[in-house]
Amino acid sequence: MLSVSFTPLLPWPVLAGLGIVVALLGLLAIASRGCVGLLRVLVLALVLAALANPALVREDREPVKDVAAVIVDRSGSQSLGDRPQMTDQVRAELQRRFGALTNIEPRFIDVPDARDGDDGTKLFAALGQALADVPPERLAGVVMLTDGVVHDIPASMAALGLKAPLHVLVTGHADERDRQIKLLEAPRFGIVGRDLTVRAEVMERGGTGSAVVTVRRDGEEIDRRTVATDKPFALTTRIEHGGPNVVEIEVEPLPGELTTVNNRAVLPIEGIREKLRVLLVSGEPHQGERTWRNLLKSDANVDLVHFTILRPPEKQDGTPISELSLIAFPTRELFVQKIKDFDLIIFDRYANQSVLPQAYFDNIVRYVREGGALLIAAGPEFAGAASLARTRLAGILPGDPNGRVVERPYKATPTQVGQRHPVTRLLPGAQADGPPAWGDWLRIVAAQTRAGVQPILSGADNLPLLALNREEKGRVALLLSDHAWLWARGYQEGGPYLDLLRRLAHWLMKEPALEEEALRAQMTGHGREVRVERQTMADTAEPVTVTGPTGRERTLALAPAEAGLFSATFEAQELGLHTLRSGNLVAFVSVGPANPRELTDVFSDTERLRPVAEGAAGSVRRVAEAGVVSVPRLQSVRGGRLAGADWIGFRPSDSAIIRGVEVYPLALGLWALVGLAAAVLAMWLVEGRRGRAA
């Protein structure tokens, strides 16, 4: 390519001034000397040309292709309905058609969900990053293949420093219909035993105006009702236990709706006990009584009511009632009127001494079966005629004494079941091989456990020491020794009495972390890594099915972590609420926000990107009309419109790489000097001849 360039020896303003002077002198010369004056003008013009220093430049240019950026939206909303198939089909067709444009190089960029946060779809940010190495003049155009749900739309392409046309190809359909649940008031905490109100709304497009809503708590259906859509409604749920109470609100799907993923909202409500009310009844003063009292009083969240029976009814010593300083045992108030106010009842070495009528034991049985908790800490009295096993409590006790009391040192040892049970698993001092490294107990009441009940601790002669049982909605524990206090006193270096007794009490009060069969999931803090734990009393654990926010499923195999506990980790690919199922157990874990922006607005849209596209001389169109996917033709256009009814255009730049440059000065050097000398000589000859003629 040839061109002329100027490298002036004087600044351009000076040359401009000299040019004016030369023009004036030339006019005077022509006016005074006629045509001969033109020779003087020519000489002066050659001098000016020499000062301007023109040169002929020859460039060796290698043409380069322009770049067309194709941004492919792979966000969560693009995985709904038939959009994935539509996107793949259009992408493949674009790639094929770009092959026919020899002067344009396509650059395909797939844009997934953001790895962190809830920023939604960021197509323009991805465009800027992808074109960081492309000069702006080489960008022939931009194509965005998306559903139109974009969350970083700029005011114009010029605001991004780009002057190329933008063409938007929108997936999805104009007549999409969908229904979703929106939580309006969703409390995160609630008091155990109290009702909590949740407000929600069913939003729909193309619906019927009403919908059936199902409410579940911890997987159990508690309500089903018909509500008006696009209007708030309230529902009430009771917080049944401490820890997560998972409330699910699900609306029936519309026929042919876009997705059912957003038809369900999950609200984990953390149950908080206002006060754990514990009733401790000690049958007589003994060494272990203070251990129980200190343990329960040390917890600020426990409201303890403690009675010790010092004077049974049959004791008649002639002391007038008015002179007794003892408080009468308020049996009717505790076991009739206020029994349901207690979360746990403990009988500590209690013997049936006619203090409680048999009808009161019926109340205790009813209390347990309706969800209460009962702990029997037995001593020698449990083996005698006054044993609680000889009362109406016998039907709910985990074991039955045989009348024998063994008094010799032994180690409280977890059984095979106990090594897996969360109450006794990995107690401090327990050893996988050999006896545990804690002190001896000296007494155990011999008993036979009921059918189906397996003890979790054993003592002397392999007798059951601690047995647990579920009785309908409630729980019962039987500790067949009164020597736990030896650990508290440091006998033979003591033992983990705090861990054992606290775990036991919390299991009785249904603490979720101590459930025998449980499925848990939580973020590890390393990106999107999720840790899954499966607590089970079985030898193996079933695989866990993980369902992502958009309905994608994966199966997760669990590996043994410790006795009774299996675990695994996985990397979440989507933001939002993930559902985990193993058998009839369900757990939830939220990766990022529970309701991502991608699933809040799921309808494809052609209007959001229209202003910026048309402002860049581009176009917006759907790729699916009447069920047929069509891709516009691609053309290179040097001027005029850049889009038509069935085509989109790209503006070429004719960019090239300069491989070499040759410069030939036109007003300097030998040839320029010869030309100037010839002009001066011609001027001299002509003017000299004219002078002689005159």
Side-chain angles (χ1 to χ4, degrees):
M1 178 178 289
L2 294 176
S3 62
V4 178
S5 68
F6 292 88
T7 309
L9 302 178
L10 295 175
W12 281 112
V14 175
L15 287 178
L18 291 176
I20 293 173
V21 172
V22 168
L24 293 175
L25 292 175
L27 290 175
L28 291 174
I30 294 172
S32 61
R33 297 177 177 275
C35 294
V36 177
L38 292 174
L39 292 175
R40 293 192 176 190
V41 174
L42 176 62
V43 171
L44 293 175
L46 289 175
V47 173
L48 277 177
L51 293 175
N53 191 20
L56 186 66
V57 180
R58 179 181 179 277
E59 295 179 346
D60 183 11
R61 300 168 66 94
E62 177 183 340
V64 294
K65 293 183 178 182
D66 294 320
V67 174
V70 183
I71 307 297
V72 182
D73 184 356
R74 298 290 188 182
S75 61
S77 60
Q78 272 284 77
S79 64
L80 304 177
D82 59 352
R83 294 179 194 175
Q85 297 80 10
M86 197 180 297
T87 300
D88 293 339
Q89 182 178 346
V90 174
R91 188 187 192 281
E93 183 63 19
L94 286 174
Q95 197 159 15
R96 186 187 69 81
R97 295 192 180 190
F98 269 115
L101 299 179
T102 57
N103 61 332
I104 294 180
E105 171 192 342
R107 183 173 293 187
F108 288 84
I109 302 101
D110 287 346
V111 184
D113 279 329
R115 294 297 299 172
D116 299 298
D118 186 24
D119 294 335
T121 303
K122 298 287 190 179
L123 298 190
F124 288 92
L127 173 65
Q129 295 174 2
L131 299 179
D133 61 335
V134 178
E137 64 272 9
R138 281 189 58 199
L139 183 61
V142 177
V143 178
M144 286 189 173
L145 180 54
T146 175
D147 56 9
V149 183
V150 181
H151 301 104
D152 65 339
I153 302 175
S156 65
M157 291 289 283
L160 300 177
L162 303 175
K163 299 181 180 179
L166 170 64
H167 301 289
V168 181
L169 304 181
V170 179
T171 60
H173 305 276
D175 59 348
E176 290 170 340
R177 52 199 322 230
D178 188 65
R179 178 180 280 168
Q180 62 178 285
I181 282 283
K182 180 181 180 181
L183 294 175
L184 303 178
E185 291 182 12
R188 295 296 180 181
F189 301 92
I191 304 298
V192 174
R194 295 188 183 179
D195 291 338
L196 198 67
T197 299
V198 178
R199 295 182 69 250
E201 181 180 351
V202 176
M203 300 189 302
E204 66 177 8
R205 188 168 85 175
T208 60
S210 64
V212 176
V213 172
T214 303
V215 183
R216 300 182 184 88
R217 183 183 57 227
D218 295 333
E220 179 182 353
E221 184 176 320
I222 60 173
D223 191 11
R224 181 185 290 265
R225 67 175 76 170
T226 300
V227 301
T229 59
D230 298 316
K231 293 182 179 179
F233 66 93
L235 59 94
T236 301
T237 181
R238 180 172 290 270
I239 305 303
E240 292 288 343
H241 55 78
N245 293 254
V246 180
V247 177
E248 301 174 68
I249 309 172
E250 185 174 7
V251 60
E252 64 176 352
L254 278 170
E257 74 171 300
L258 181 61
T259 178
T260 59
V261 173
N262 53 9
N263 288 33
R264 183 184 62 160
V266 179
L267 176 61
I269 303 176
E270 191 72 18
I272 301 174
R273 295 184 184 272
E274 190 174 21
K275 274 287 188 177
L276 297 176
R277 298 204 65 194
V278 178
L279 173 60
L280 173 61
V281 180
S282 298
E284 61 182 62
H286 67 101
Q287 293 282 358
E289 178 185 10
R290 184 168 295 276
T291 299
W292 280 110
R293 182 177 179 84
N294 291 343
L295 173 69
L296 296 169
K297 292 294 287 184
S298 64
D299 190 340
N301 199 38
V302 171
D303 188 2
L304 177 64
V305 178
H306 183 199
F307 285 93
T308 302
I309 299 176
L310 301 176
R311 187 175 187 274
E314 70 272 10
K315 184 177 181 181
Q316 300 295 331
D317 56 6
T319 304
I321 298 296
S322 60
E323 296 183 12
L324 289 175
S325 60
L326 303 179
I327 299 174
F329 191 16
T331 55
R332 177 175 175 78
E333 182 181 2
L334 294 176
F335 295 101
V336 177
Q337 298 174 350
K338 296 185 177 180
I339 186 170
K340 292 184 178 180
D341 293 342
F342 293 104
D343 299 293
L344 172 62
I345 297 175
I346 303 175
F347 283 110
D348 173 34
R349 287 200 59 174
Y350 181 86
N352 184 20
Q353 301 172 335
S354 301
V355 174
L356 296 180
Q358 288 296 328
Y360 287 8
F361 289 115
D362 288 336
N363 289 346
I364 297 173
V365 171
R366 189 179 307 110
Y367 157 81
V368 170
R369 288 175 174 165
E370 291 177 355
L374 175 65
L375 169 61
I376 307 295
E381 78 292 335
F382 193 69
S387 172
L388 288 175
R390 306 293 178 258
T391 68
R392 294 179 182 176
L393 293 181
I396 63 172
L397 295 182
D400 186 30
N402 59 18
R404 188 164 61 96
V405 177
V406 178
E407 298 197 10
R408 63 179 178 82
Y410 63 90
K411 298 284 187 183
T413 306
T415 63
Q416 280 193 336
V417 174
Q419 291 174 0
R420 296 192 183 97
H421 200 286
V423 171
T424 49
R425 183 180 65 225
L426 296 181
L427 282 171
Q431 300 181 20
D433 299 322
W438 50 55
D440 291 340
W441 290 7
L442 305 178
R443 181 161 56 206
I444 186 171
V445 179
Q448 179 68 40
T449 55
R450 292 172 53 184
V453 176
Q454 294 179 305
I456 60 174
L457 281 180
S458 63
D461 300 330
N462 207 30
L463 290 170
L465 177 59
L466 177 59
L468 309 179
N469 186 37
R470 295 171 183 264
E471 185 67 28
E472 296 185 7
K473 295 182 180 180
R475 303 185 180 189
V476 183
L478 177 60
L479 181 61
L480 291 160
S481 177
D482 59 339
H483 277 187
W485 63 272
L486 292 173
W487 281 356
R489 298 288 179 87
Y491 176 70
Q492 293 182 350
E493 298 185 359
Y497 76 100
L498 282 176
D499 296 88
L500 176 62
L501 299 182
R502 278 180 177 164
R503 290 186 194 179
L504 181 58
H506 287 140
W507 177 87
L508 286 164
M509 290 183 286
K510 303 175 184 177
E511 179 69 32
L514 292 165
E515 291 295 311
E516 298 95 319
E517 301 293 331
L519 179 64
R520 295 182 287 269
Q522 61 180 359
M523 301 293 296
T524 64
H526 302 288
R528 294 189 184 181
E529 186 179 71
V530 179
R531 178 176 174 83
V532 181
E533 290 185 343
R534 172 73 165 91
Q535 164 68 44
T536 179
M537 301 302 292
D539 294 330
T540 59
E542 297 179 3
V544 174
T545 301
V546 182
T547 305
T550 59
R552 297 177 183 173
E553 290 188 354
R554 63 186 296 182
T555 301
L556 194 64
L558 303 178
E562 55 192 57
L565 189 66
F566 297 80
S567 67
T569 58
F570 71 93
E571 186 78 10
Q573 300 301 318
E574 302 172 275
L575 292 175
L577 194 70
H578 291 63
T579 305
L580 296 87
R581 299 183 185 275
S582 178
N584 61 348
L585 296 176
V586 182
F588 302 92
V589 61
S590 181
V591 180
N595 298 294
R597 295 173 69 179
E598 283 297 313
L599 298 179
T600 301
D601 185 2
V602 296
F603 298 111
S604 63
D605 187 6
T606 59
E607 299 307 313
R608 297 189 190 187
L609 290 166
R610 189 176 297 280
V612 65
E614 293 181 349
S619 61
V620 179
R621 69 188 72 209
R622 287 191 180 275
V623 297
E625 295 292 345
V628 178
V629 176
S630 61
V631 181
R633 292 181 292 109
L634 312 182
Q635 294 184 188
S636 289
V637 182
R638 294 191 174 275
R641 297 172 58 221
L642 289 172
D646 63 345
W647 63 274
I648 56 177
F650 299 88
R651 184 179 290 125
S653 65
D654 298 325
S655 299
I657 298 176
I658 299 176
R659 298 297 184 185
V661 178
E662 296 179 359
V663 180
Y664 302 98
L666 299 178
L668 297 176
L670 177 63
W671 294 108
L673 182 61
V674 170
L676 180 62
V680 172
L681 179 62
M683 181 186 67
W684 179 68
L685 290 174
V686 171
E687 289 193 355
R689 185 180 301 167
R690 184 177 179 181
R692 288 192 299 271

